[in-house]
Amino acid sequence: MRSTHGQVLVPGGTFAMGDHHGDGDPADGERPVHPVTLSSFHVDATTVTNAAFARFVKETGYVTDAERWGSSGVFHLAFTGSREDVLTSVDGAPWWLAVRGACWRHPEGPGSSIGDRANHPVVHVSWHDAQAYCAWADRRLPTEAEWEYAARGGLAGARFPWGDELGRRWALNIWQGRFPTENTREDGFLTTAPVKTYRPNAYGLWQTVGNVWEWCADRFAADWYARSPERDPQGPDEGDARVMRGGSYLCHDSYCNRYRVAARTSNTPESSSGNLGFRCAARR
C-alpha cells in the first residue's frame, strides 16, 4: 500500500452519531442522534498534502476537474492574480470568486503557487479527484460515519475533538474577526495551515475540524439519520451531492459554525474550491 502519511487504526465500536447539543442547522440533517456500530478501519492521520498529490499527478498525469473546467472558487481576500482572471462572484456569497486558473497548483489564483506549502492540505480537489487519488494509493474515502467516529477521538458527544469548548488558545484553523472582510489571524493563518498544526485528537488524527473541508464517500441526504442502518452505514443510494465534513478556515459563528465534529454539509462531486480537500481510509 502506498502512503505518504501515517495511518491510524481506529478500533471498531458503537457510538452515538449526530449533534448532541442542538447547534446545527436543521436543513443539514445532523439529527436525530442515533447509534452506529462500525468495524475497525484505518484512516490517514492527516489530510492529503500538496506533496502527496503532486507525486500522484507525476506518476499518473492526472488532470483535476478544476484544471479541466479552467476555474475554481477562491476566497476574495486570498485571491492572487490579475482582476481579469476573476470570472464572477458567487450569488449569495460574494466573498467567493470564480477564478480562471485556480487549481491545486495555484490555490489562490494564477499568481500563487504551492512552492513553500508541500505539507499543506491539497485543495481545489473534487470528489472525483479524491476518488482517483484513493484508487492510485490503494485507499478509499472514509464513510461519513467512519469520519465522525474517528474525528471524535473516543469522546462521546463532544462538540470538538478535545471537548465542548473552544478554550482560550486556538486549537484549530477557523476565521477570527469580522467575516468576510477582516481576519485577525489569531490562529496564525488566513488560509490553510500545515496538516500537523495544533494537536492531534486522542486517536492521533490531526485537524479533523477547521483548515479544510473533507470529502466523504457517501451521498448526502438531510433525512438520512432517521433511516440509516446501524451497522457500517454507507450512505443513501440516491442523490447527486456528496458529504463534506469538518469545516474550514472560513468557518465563523456569524454565518457557519460547521467546524464541529457533528457538522455536515454537501457539494456536487465535480465541485472544487480553495478550502476543500480530503483524507483517505481503508479497511483493516
Side-chain angles (χ1 to χ4, degrees):
M1 179 182 295
R2 290 192 191 97
S3 179
T4 51
H5 5 268
Q7 294 118 37
V8 173
L9 175 60
V10 179
T14 299
F15 77 111
M17 184 174 181
D19 173 18
H20 292 246
H21 302 274
D23 295 327
D25 184 332
D28 289 345
E30 295 180 26
R31 288 189 162 188
V33 175
H34 58 290
V36 171
T37 300
L38 295 175
S39 305
S40 298
F41 60 98
H42 286 92
V43 65
D44 286 348
T46 73
T47 52
V48 173
T49 63
N50 285 316
F53 201 80
R55 283 191 283 274
F56 157 62
V57 170
K58 183 177 181 179
E59 282 196 23
T60 64
Y62 184 82
V63 178
T64 63
D65 279 341
E67 289 168 300
R68 280 181 288 169
W69 284 106
S71 66
S72 189
V74 174
F75 182 66
H76 73 122
L77 294 185
F79 169 68
T80 305
S82 167
R83 296 305 299 180
E84 295 177 354
D85 296 320
V86 178
L87 304 178
T88 185
S89 59
V90 177
D91 290 343
W95 49 87
W96 277 115
L97 307 176
V99 174
R100 181 189 294 112
C103 65
W104 74 274
R105 301 177 192 270
H106 306 289
E108 285 86 46
S112 65
S113 77
I114 56 169
D116 61 349
R117 285 183 272 185
N119 62 344
H120 283 236
V122 66
V123 292
H124 295 289
V125 285
S126 70
W127 185 86
H128 296 306
D129 300 333
Q131 289 284 80
Y133 177 95
C134 287
W136 168 79
D138 297 323
R139 305 285 275 166
R140 62 174 176 81
L141 289 175
T143 68
E144 181 177 19
E146 287 173 339
W147 189 96
E148 182 171 325
Y149 183 61
R152 288 191 175 282
L155 293 183
R159 281 192 175 93
F160 307 113
W162 57 83
D164 288 336
E165 304 299 328
L166 281 177
R168 294 186 178 183
R169 295 183 62 186
W170 292 101
L172 76 171
N173 180 13
I174 57 174
W175 188 276
Q176 296 91 45
R178 192 170 56 183
F179 187 87
T181 57
E182 179 190 2
N183 189 337
T184 60
R185 307 190 197 190
E186 293 169 31
D187 61 12
F189 304 94
L190 175 64
T191 61
T192 58
V195 296
K196 287 191 174 181
T197 306
Y198 312 112
R199 296 178 62 184
N201 71 8
Y203 285 159
L205 274 65
W206 297 78
Q207 296 200 83
T208 54
V209 293
N211 214 26
V212 294
W213 284 103
E214 300 180 26
W215 287 113
C216 292
D218 309 37
R219 291 181 171 88
F220 178 87
D223 66 347
W224 176 239
Y225 284 9
R227 54 191 175 97
S228 170
E230 181 174 332
R231 180 169 290 275
D232 291 324
Q234 303 293 307
D237 294 329
E238 71 286 345
D240 295 326
R242 297 286 176 167
V243 172
M244 304 189 311
R245 285 299 207 116
S248 82
Y249 58 79
L250 293 180
C251 281
H252 186 267
D253 279 344
S254 65
Y255 91 105
C256 172
N257 70 343
R258 295 189 183 97
Y259 52 89
R260 297 167 291 106
V261 177
R264 61 198 301 257
T265 191
S266 66
N267 213 331
T268 56
E270 71 278 4
S271 295
S272 63
S273 64
N275 65 341
L276 179 52
F278 68 103
R279 76 178 71 213
C280 300
R283 288 291 177 203
R284 181 174 179 177

